[in-house]
Amino acid sequence: MPRQAMPRQAMSRALRALTPRALARHYRSRHPHPTAELVHHPHPWARALGLVTVVLIGAWLGLLIVGNVRTPVGPMNTTMTLRPSVTGGTKINVSPLGALELRSHNAPVRLDVNVDQLDPERAQALVDHPERISGLQDEIASDVQHGTLDLAVRSGVAVVSGATALGLAVYRRPRRALAAGGLALALLTASGGAAAATWNPNSVLEPKFSGLLSSAPSLVGNARSIVTEFDVYQQELARLVTNVTKLYDATSTLPAYQPDPTTIRVLHVSDIHLNPASWKIIASLVEQYEINVIVDSGDTMDHGSAAENGFLDPIADLGAPYVWVRGNHDSRETQRYLEGIDNAHVLDEGRAVTVGGLRFAGMGDPQFTPDRSGDKENLPSEETAGQRLADALRAQKAAGTPVDIAIAHNPDAARETDGQVPLVLAGHLHHSEMEILDKGTRLRIEGSTGGSGLRALEGQYPDPIETSVLYLDRDTHRLQAWDEIKLGGLGLTTAEVSRHLPKENQPGATPDDDLSPSPSGNTSTSRSPRGSSNGSPSTSTGVPPGAP
């Protein structure tokens, strides 16, 4: 019986499995219906962008919280920090004096060095034993190397930790958090590689100083030492730290700037435009830099009227000879008045004069346009005036009294002297430029030392007050270096001093880099392209719309 019942029970179960309901359940188990998606998955590019955003924010937070190193550098205690940056470089904050900016590298990270305080014991030991200064460069280089290595390791940990932690908080998935940390490490490594590849140790030779103007020369050193000792980076770094030490050690007065006696220092001013504050600035710079000659390339006045002539009276008391050429805002009446002022030397029609050991020749602007009105087509030609100046320079050279510096107000006139003089000075454009002309003459265009005068507020921001100190060799009369000085315009109190070197005085230069023109007026050797290696951007040959 049991053996016969077994097949019947199995057959009964099989028949029940073949019912429509059972067959439907079986089919659904093998072929499930698709279900509607309630969660929208983002596009892969959107996910990647979100991950990169998380990595950047997390890395920045990590650097902000723990990415700094406190380390001694010579006699000073400093804090080194890495910061995200578009341009890279190094910024040395010397509170309360200001900051030094160096174009040390091009990478998306900037090195900030804050000078926290001077260690009294180490500073006093340096003062008591000055012979230790000779080995200070090695000590400083070692301190900077160790501090930078420690900063790199700590910054790596901070970046990876910050990106990983933020990734975990945002995605709540360990795998995505680890991916964020890995990407952060890759970005930091790439940034470090870019910084190493573009590292420029000679950037210390051309710093930009912002802060107290009176302390800037002591920080950047004198022109002669910059020119003759630039080949050793550690020595310049030691000089920088030593000068900062002296500044901190000073109590009531800052150390005075000591110009090298082998240089002639020329203060180039232009486009004062009746700004009375300019005279105080010029007098201060004459005293601070021990200026030998002041050169004014015109537009000292605004309308050239007789009522304005009294504005010129402070020239007699500036403390240095004043060489002047007429600008398009200066009248013949202005020129005659200035000829009667003691200490002033007015140049026009190629007239040459020797002042402060240098020979100058200049040409007054042929145009007089104080109100920018009238028919410009009938105005005298700037180029023609420049050609007359070039003829005068050529005659001086033939007579055995070659001119060292030519002066014209408008750059269009100044360019006509190419090949006849090593250096020509101009103004008119209200911004500074430096250009090497085709035949080797160097054209220096000065900004507005008066901050554009009454035009200071025509733009969104007031125009800065700009001037420069030119350092020329006392024997060769050739340019060695120049400092661009920029002060904040109306209502501003900022100050910047930037050191620049001609190409032939930069590290690694050879005699082939000499820019001096040959007697025939052509350059005897190669020169740098316009806007490269001469400390200035490319220049334009025309006067822009709205030029003064």
Side-chain angles (χ1 to χ4, degrees), residues 531-547:
S532 64
S533 302
N534 61 7
S536 66
S538 299
T539 59
S540 59
T541 56
V543 179

Side-chain angles (χ1 to χ4, degrees), residues 369-391:
T369 56
D371 56 0
R372 305 183 190 178
S373 64
D375 186 4
K376 294 185 177 181
E377 294 182 358
N378 297 324
L379 292 175
S381 169
E382 296 286 354
E383 289 78 5
T384 301
Q387 291 168 6
R388 296 204 308 271
L389 178 57
D391 291 340

Side-chain angles (χ1 to χ4, degrees), residues 109-441:
V109 289
R110 185 187 71 194
L111 175 62
D112 284 357
V113 181
N114 294 317
V115 179
D116 299 326
Q117 62 181 1
L118 180 71
D119 187 285
E121 295 182 1
R122 282 179 286 165
Q124 189 61 42
L126 193 63
V127 173
D128 295 339
H129 303 280
E131 68 276 4
R132 296 183 182 179
I133 296 179
S134 60
L136 185 61
Q137 62 267 21
D138 296 329
E139 177 186 348
I140 293 172
S142 177
D143 291 341
V144 172
Q145 182 178 2
H146 288 118
T148 305
L149 181 61
D150 190 7
L151 178 62
V153 173
R154 180 169 298 192
S155 297
V157 174
V159 165
V160 173
S161 301
T164 303
L166 187 60
L168 187 62
V170 172
Y171 297 111
R172 301 184 182 276
R173 295 180 182 178
R175 182 176 298 180
R176 298 296 294 275
L178 291 176
L183 180 57
L185 181 60
L187 292 176
L188 182 63
T189 303
S191 300
T198 59
W199 176 249
N200 177 25
N202 297 315
S203 61
V204 73
L205 302 176
E206 298 188 70
K208 175 183 287 187
F209 179 83
S210 59
L212 297 178
L213 178 60
S214 59
S215 66
S218 300
L219 283 170
V220 299
N222 64 61
R224 192 64 180 179
S225 65
I226 290 289
V227 172
T228 59
E229 300 175 15
F230 54 74
D231 54 333
V232 183
Y233 168 67
Q234 290 89 342
Q235 290 182 1
E236 290 300 330
L237 188 57
R239 184 187 308 278
L240 174 64
V241 174
T242 302
N243 285 332
V244 172
T245 300
K246 292 178 181 178
L247 288 173
Y248 269 98
D249 191 52
T251 54
S252 58
T253 60
L254 294 173
Y257 175 55
Q258 300 294 333
D260 193 284
T262 62
T263 61
I264 301 175
R265 294 162 299 282
V266 176
L267 179 64
H268 184 196
V269 303
S270 189
D271 296 87
I272 292 176
H273 286 290
L274 284 180
N275 187 345
S278 299
W279 299 131
K280 294 183 179 179
I281 295 171
I282 292 172
S284 175
L285 291 173
V286 167
E287 180 180 1
Q288 176 70 21
Y289 285 84
E290 296 187 15
I291 295 297
N292 300 106
V293 184
I294 305 168
V295 173
D296 186 341
S297 50
D299 273 5
T300 313
M301 307 301 241
D302 212 22
H303 294 86
S305 64
E308 297 172 337
N309 287 341
F311 174 76
L312 302 171
D313 292 342
I315 289 177
D317 302 318
L318 291 178
Y322 200 88
V323 179
W324 182 87
V325 297
R326 187 179 66 253
N328 62 296
H329 282 254
D330 304 316
S331 65
R332 297 281 181 173
E333 172 67 25
T334 300
Q335 180 166 314
R336 286 191 292 270
Y337 187 87
L338 194 57
E339 288 173 345
I341 294 181
D342 293 339
N343 216 32
H345 302 268
V346 176
L347 302 182
D348 197 6
E349 297 300 330
R351 175 175 176 261
V353 62
T354 299
V355 182
L358 298 172
R359 190 156 182 81
F360 299 89
M363 176 67 70
D365 198 307
Q367 302 181 6
F368 180 54
T369 56
D371 56 0
R372 305 183 190 178
S373 64
D375 186 4
K376 294 185 177 181
E377 294 182 358
N378 297 324
L379 292 175
S381 169
E382 296 286 354
E383 289 78 5
T384 301
Q387 291 168 6
R388 296 204 308 271
L389 178 57
D391 291 340
L393 296 173
R394 196 176 295 109
Q396 289 284 337
K397 188 183 299 184
T401 56
V403 171
D404 300 310
I405 301 177
I407 313 167
H409 177 66
N410 195 305
D412 291 341
R415 289 189 176 90
E416 298 298 323
T417 66
D418 189 14
Q420 303 304 323
V421 68
L423 177 64
V424 59
L425 306 180
H428 186 63
L429 301 185
H430 289 202
H431 64 265
S432 59
E433 299 179 5
M434 184 73 85
E435 176 185 350
I436 305 297
L437 301 178
D438 292 338
K439 296 180 181 179
T441 294

Side-chain angles (χ1 to χ4, degrees), residues 2-41:
R3 292 180 179 179
Q4 293 178 356
M6 291 295 292
R8 295 176 181 173
Q9 294 175 356
M11 186 176 295
S12 177
R13 287 195 299 271
L15 290 174
R16 287 196 300 269
L18 293 176
T19 61
R21 183 176 296 178
L23 289 174
R25 284 198 302 269
H26 177 75
Y27 181 82
R28 284 196 300 269
S29 65
R30 294 296 184 93
H31 304 280
H33 291 290
T35 58
E37 288 284 347
L38 298 179
V39 179
H40 174 70
H41 293 285

